Amino acid sequence: MIKNFVRTFGALSLALTPLLSSPVAEAAPAPEVTTLADAVGLVKVTEEDRTGYTRSKFKHWNGGDDAGDGCNTRAEVLISEAVVVPTVEAGCKLTGGTWTSYYDGQEVTSAGSLDIDHMVPLAESWDSGASAWTAARREAYANDQGSTVSLVAVTARSNRQKSDQDPADWMPPSPEAQCRYVGEWVATKLRWGLTADDRELEALKVYSEGPCEDTIVRYTPAA
């Protein structure tokens, strides 16, 4: 709830700025909204190729959305996703706070016990189209706070179990999290125009045509 409020408030502030300085304001693009099955059908299928991948080709964490707050992307995501907001001390040191890691349903009370997971891992994004991007676009992807599902605070253990696997090989251990996870995975792929391989697509179809058929996917294509 706090996560959505913080990001919605930030987006609203940005939207109001041109209204104050110009008589004509550009409306923010409306998100695409569709069923999971239809969203899966929009994902293009190609073979994956990890040739040339290194994690260093995705610059993160950068200065975040607010260059003046002294916090990097990791810290900003932690603050926005907190169930109980931490105290932000000098140098953006976070103390206190409570988070819920939705992958495994664990409550966490130490920011240091959390990883910020890229919903679609960096290596997977490279395989799926990011290898052709500019360095600037890869940096934008690795620090994407323009969507509430691109980056997520989860336990270090669950993130490392996931590693760079797609839904054909890993799903959150909490059954209650799986439909949300599939929907957010597909939303991220569509937001960034990323592809899927055959095994990945088949796994997504199993969920979209079965237990997750009622899941709704919302995404806005990245600029």
Side-chain angles (χ1 to χ4, degrees), residues 83-191:
V83 177
V84 176
V85 180
T87 300
V88 183
E89 299 179 349
C92 199
K93 180 182 178 182
L94 306 182
T95 59
T98 303
W99 293 263
T100 299
S101 167
Y102 95 80
Y103 287 0
D104 49 14
Q106 297 297 305
E107 182 178 283
V108 180
T109 56
S110 170
S113 299
L114 293 161
D115 281 355
I116 302 303
D117 182 39
H118 293 92
M119 175 54 59
V120 174
L122 301 181
E124 169 70 20
S125 72
W126 180 272
D127 300 347
S128 308
S131 60
W133 294 350
T134 63
R137 188 164 182 81
R138 287 196 289 269
E139 179 179 351
Y141 176 83
N143 297 275
D144 182 20
Q145 295 186 71
S147 167
T148 59
V149 306
S150 295
L151 302 171
V152 58
V154 295
T155 57
R157 180 180 180 182
S158 65
N159 184 42
R160 289 161 199 183
Q161 287 175 341
K162 172 184 173 180
S163 186
D164 58 8
Q165 299 176 95
D166 68 32
D169 297 308
W170 186 89
M171 289 291 288
S174 173
E176 294 79 11
Q178 292 179 355
C179 290
R180 173 181 170 182
Y181 181 77
V182 173
E184 293 184 355
W185 179 279
V186 175
T188 304
K189 287 250 165 165
L190 293 175
R191 172 170 169 76

